Structures are given as C-alpha cells and as structure tokens.
C-alpha cells in the first residue's frame, strides 16, 4: 500500500528529530548519522517524485511538517559542520604524526628519546 503525502512528511519529521538528537549527543557515531541522513534522503526523493507527478502539499502540511523540518535543519547544520571540521583536523594530525614517524623513526627511537635528524 502506498503511503500518503502526510505519512511521508510525518516520517521525514521523525527522522529529522532523530537526527537532531543524534547530532546533539556528543558521543554518537557518525554511522548513525549516515543511516538517518540516508533515510531522510530517501523520503525527500519520494516526496519530490510525487511533487513532479503533480501531487500537491497543502499549506497545513507545510506548516505542521516542512516548517519544523526546516527549522531543525537550520539548527543542526552548524553542529554537523563543526563535527566535520573537528574530524578533518584529527585526520590531518594523524597524517602528520604518521609522516613524522615514517621519516624519523624507521629504525626506532634512539638516543634515550633524544631526537636525531638523520635526513639532512
């Protein structure tokens, strides 16, 4: 049985609220975010298909669901971007550490922890 437009929008709002909770919690895994984002993308594409087929969304549905989804998206976007930036910085630090280890510690640290630059 095919879902009504209202059920699709209601499900989209529920997924968005779940995403907001997940993003707000500091210890959540990014895989959880990806699952919720994929579900939302699927729902959005279903709504777009119906809209392109000529189905309309009433003003009441826009107010009850889409306006709330938009507000939540606006609030969580900076949090997601901040987390992405933090992860990029961590990856950069890991790459720098790995490069330093490959460059200077091929034979293992020597000199009782002293640093000898043999690559000059």
């Amino acid at each position: 049985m095919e879902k009504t437009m209202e059920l699709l929008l209601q499900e989209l709002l529920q997924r968005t609220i779940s995403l907001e909770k997940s993003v707000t919690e500091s210890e959540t895994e990014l895989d959880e975010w990806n699952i919720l984002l994929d579900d939302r993308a699927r729902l959005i594409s279903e709504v777009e298909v119906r809209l392109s087929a000529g189905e309309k969304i009433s003003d009441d549905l826009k107010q009850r669901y889409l306006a709330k989804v938009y507000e939540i998206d606006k609030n969580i976007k900076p949090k997601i971007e901040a987390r992405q930036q933090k992860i990029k910085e961590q990856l950069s630090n890991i790459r720098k550490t790995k490069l330093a280890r490959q460059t200077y510690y091929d034979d293992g640290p020597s000199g009782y922890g002293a640093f000898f630059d043999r690559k000059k």
Side-chain angles (χ1 to χ4, degrees), residues 25 29 37 42 53 65 76-77 80 86 94 114:
E25 295 174 8
E29 293 292 323
L37 287 168
R42 180 187 51 81
Y65 300 110
I76 63 175
K77 186 176 179 180
I80 291 174
K86 181 179 175 183
I94 289 169

Side-chain angles (χ1 to χ4, degrees), residues 4-115:
T4 64
M5 181 64 83
E6 183 172 4
L7 285 176
L8 282 174
L9 294 175
Q10 186 179 25
E11 197 173 335
L12 177 63
L13 179 59
Q14 289 171 349
R15 293 294 186 283
T16 304
I17 291 170
S18 297
L19 179 64
E20 179 184 36
K21 287 178 184 174
S22 180
V23 167
T24 304
E25 295 174 8
S26 61
E27 297 300 320
T28 57
E29 293 292 323
L30 295 181
D31 291 338
E32 185 179 330
W33 293 12
N34 286 333
I35 291 169
L36 291 168
L37 287 168
D38 289 344
D39 283 348
R40 280 175 28 111
R42 180 187 51 81
L43 291 167
I44 290 170
S45 66
E46 284 184 46
V47 169
E48 288 174 344
V49 165
R50 288 185 177 202
L51 290 174
S52 65
E55 197 170 336
K56 302 286 183 200
I57 299 176
S58 70
D59 289 336
D60 179 50
L61 292 178
K62 287 179 184 177
Q63 284 293 73
R64 282 195 292 161
Y65 300 110
L66 293 180
K68 291 177 184 175
V69 168
Y70 176 75
E71 284 300 314
I72 293 170
D73 280 350
K74 200 167 65 170
N75 292 333
I76 63 175
K77 186 176 179 180
K79 294 175 184 176
I80 291 174
E81 289 172 349
R83 182 86 179 255
Q84 285 176 329
Q85 185 62 35
K86 181 179 175 183
I87 290 170
K88 284 180 185 177
E89 289 171 5
Q90 289 173 342
L91 283 173
S92 176
N93 289 339
I94 289 169
R95 287 187 187 117
K96 288 176 185 176
T97 302
K98 186 177 177 181
L99 181 62
R101 284 187 182 153
Q102 287 174 347
T103 304
Y104 296 108
Y105 294 118
D106 285 338
D107 301 327
S110 59
Y112 304 101
F115 181 76

